[in-house]
Amino acid sequence: MNLAAKLAARRRPVRVGLIGAGKFGSMFLAQVPTIPGLEVAVIADLDPERAKAACRTVGWDDARISRTSFTGRGLDACADERVEVLIEATGSPAAGIGHARAAIAARRHVVMVNVEADVLAGPLLAAEARAAGVVYSMAYGDQPALVAELVDWARASGFRVMAAGKGTKYLPSFHRVTPDDVWSHYGLSPEEARRAGMNPQMFNSFLDGTKSAIEMAAIANACALEVPEDGLAFPPCGVDDLAEVLRPATLGGRLEKPCQVEVVSSVERDGSPVVRDLRWGVYVVLEAPNDYTAACFRQYGLRTDASGRYAAMYKPFHLIGLELSISVLSAALRGEPTGAAQAWRGDAVAVAKRPLRAGDLLDGEGGYTVWGKLVPAARSRALGALPIGLAHRLALVRDVAQGEILRYADVALDETDATLTTRRAMEQAFG
């Protein structure tokens, strides 16, 4: 609260640098003209003309476009002296880590839309930002930051958080979907998707479970929550049943561990729709600390489990980049992140989608070769597991069975690669 008032009272605008003018970035840009005191100084995109076209598409007039610098280099935005807050929205783990470190070195606050980069090295980046006296933050509007807000609200209110996460559409067969057949699951033809400018590999990462693994790892790392040992269960569950389903297995629920991240599916295993699903939303399940509080749950109309001790709060939708200014203003006006990695508790590791052979080239998140699975960080390190964020353009040196977790030893690595060395440093510091 009070961000709008703080911005109105400030005598100089909050100036932003945006790297990546895709969908998330464009949604943020659409809101900027209606937020007095917020300005975009520079936009970096691999295609600056495309970035200008995106500004026109979202309603920017020529005067606003002329006041904004456009560049093809993200590092230009990191170094621009006008920039107070840097938004990294490229989706590339390597680019995200490089841009974040450059911005932190230049004493810029960083809002990391790029969850892929955050899961690969977020705890280290957040520590480096704190040491530099700047903010490193998850992006409000995306599910991890919204879940972090719910978790913080619950704990600050005196509740124990039993579970937290989001909803999605999930079936076990989705782990094998490739970009060739992804559009049938979205009810689109390939031609319709192409005309809309939709990237099949990116959209497939939402479907095959990878994005869920990445986002739950980010939440676990930011909120000190537990991670299931062998991946998310994706139980079918509607909003009225959250408290019943997402309680410990010892009490009849589906949680492997107390205080755990989990994703609920909007469809039953037979493909039929879940009643009052949470496909687009986020949730937190609360435990009442005493009988009096449990009685208050009933008195104020909360849906609880059969015991009356567990209840849920949720947001049915998230607005992605339309809400991103909350993170920007929180960093600039309060010096606070809207969630940030504190420890390494969860990891998203690469799993073979099909039998892979020595010499095969991995194609990363949402591709044809691997999908991302959530596991505890301790298990990832013990296995020497290959993070999904590194599983791109790497050649296999041995055969890997379908469903097997890939390891660093399974691929040819360039040990001088900056992204790999940053990841190694994070594992060493936080393992």
Side-chain angles (χ1 to χ4, degrees):
M1 292 185 287
N2 300 321
L3 284 176
K6 285 180 177 292
L7 182 60
R10 182 166 147 144
R11 295 186 177 182
R12 58 187 174 86
V14 174
R15 292 192 170 92
V16 174
L18 170 66
I19 307 178
K23 181 63 172 176
F24 206 119
S26 293
M27 293 176 79
F28 167 72
L29 294 173
Q31 299 301 102
V32 169
T34 60
I35 307 174
L38 180 63
E39 296 181 2
V40 179
V42 56
I43 300 174
D45 193 271
L46 293 175
D47 184 347
E49 290 305 313
R50 186 190 72 161
K52 287 183 182 179
C55 290
R56 295 188 184 96
T57 297
V58 302
W60 280 29
D61 58 26
D62 290 340
R64 186 175 294 275
I65 291 173
S66 69
R67 294 197 301 269
T68 305
S69 300
F70 292 84
T71 176
R73 284 173 29 92
L75 292 178
D76 292 343
C78 300
D80 193 306
E81 292 184 353
R82 296 170 296 170
V83 171
E84 186 174 355
V85 183
L86 190 285
I87 300 171
E88 215 297 338
T90 65
S92 164
I97 290 170
H99 293 148
R101 297 189 102 174
I104 291 166
R107 300 297 193 271
R108 317 277 186 244
H109 302 306
V110 175
V111 175
M112 186 61 91
V113 175
N114 191 335
V115 191
E116 293 81 1
D118 182 72
V119 168
L120 200 58
L124 182 66
L125 298 176
E128 290 178 350
R130 287 192 294 272
V134 294
V135 171
Y136 172 88
S137 177
M138 297 195 296
Y140 199 88
D142 215 359
Q143 289 104 322
L146 296 181
V147 173
E149 179 184 49
L150 284 174
V151 169
D152 185 66
W153 165 83
R155 288 173 173 162
S157 299
F159 299 113
R160 184 187 186 197
V161 173
M162 184 52 55
K166 68 166 194 172
T168 194
K169 183 180 180 181
Y170 170 84
L171 290 172
S173 60
F174 290 174
H175 294 310
R176 298 187 296 276
V177 176
T178 73
D180 287 343
D181 52 354
V182 64
W183 297 128
S184 63
H185 297 283
Y186 285 95
L188 296 170
S189 70
E191 178 59 24
E192 287 172 328
R194 187 192 64 77
R195 287 199 304 267
M198 298 166 71
N199 182 316
Q201 187 158 344
M202 182 187 74
F203 276 82
N204 195 40
S205 71
F206 298 127
L207 190 72
D208 71 6
T210 300
K211 187 66 76 172
S212 290
I214 289 171
E215 291 176 339
M216 293 306 105
I219 292 166
N221 293 341
C223 299
L225 291 168
E226 297 294 330
V227 171
E229 286 297 316
D230 196 35
L232 295 163
F234 296 96
C237 182
V239 296
D240 296 328
D241 299 318
L242 287 167
E244 192 77 29
V245 173
L246 297 173
R247 56 181 181 159
T250 54
L251 298 177
R254 294 290 302 276
L255 288 186
E256 177 185 306
K257 309 171 184 177
C259 311
Q260 179 192 300
V261 293
E262 187 55 87
V263 175
V264 294
S265 177
S266 64
V267 294
E268 303 288 351
R269 290 297 189 256
D270 63 3
S272 61
V274 163
V275 176
R276 284 172 44 82
D277 69 79
L278 194 65
R279 181 176 181 182
W280 308 110
V282 296
Y283 76 89
V284 62
V285 172
L286 324 166
E287 181 182 15
N290 51 56
D291 292 340
Y292 183 88
T293 300
C296 290
F297 284 173
R298 294 191 301 275
Q299 293 160 7
Y300 287 89
L302 271 71
R303 292 294 293 263
T304 68
D305 73 324
S307 75
R309 300 200 70 87
Y310 297 97
M313 285 289 189
Y314 61 90
K315 295 184 73 170
F317 300 100
H318 66 295
L319 296 181
I320 319 177
L322 301 181
E323 301 179 86
L324 182 57
S325 57
I326 300 297
S327 291
V328 172
L329 298 179
S330 181
L333 302 177
R334 289 186 180 141
E336 294 180 355
T338 51
Q342 305 297 319
W344 187 37
R345 302 177 71 95
D347 203 11
V349 300
V351 177
K353 281 190 173 180
R354 56 175 173 80
L356 301 175
R357 300 288 176 255
D360 285 349
L361 199 64
L362 302 181
D363 58 356
E365 179 185 350
Y368 295 85
T369 57
V370 291
W371 61 278
K373 182 177 187 175
L374 178 67
V375 299
R379 184 183 178 202
S380 175
R381 182 162 186 174
L383 289 173
L386 180 69
I388 190 69
L390 294 178
H392 187 62
R393 296 180 182 172
L394 295 179
L396 286 172
V397 298
R398 76 169 183 91
D399 296 350
V400 178
Q402 181 177 351
E404 184 178 348
I405 293 176
L406 278 73
R407 308 179 188 222
Y408 283 117
D410 297 332
V411 294
L413 293 168
D414 176 5
E415 292 291 346
T416 66
D417 177 76
T419 307
L420 177 60
T421 57
T422 301
R423 167 67 184 208
R424 298 280 204 202
M426 192 279 292
E427 291 178 356
Q428 184 65 32
F430 292 90

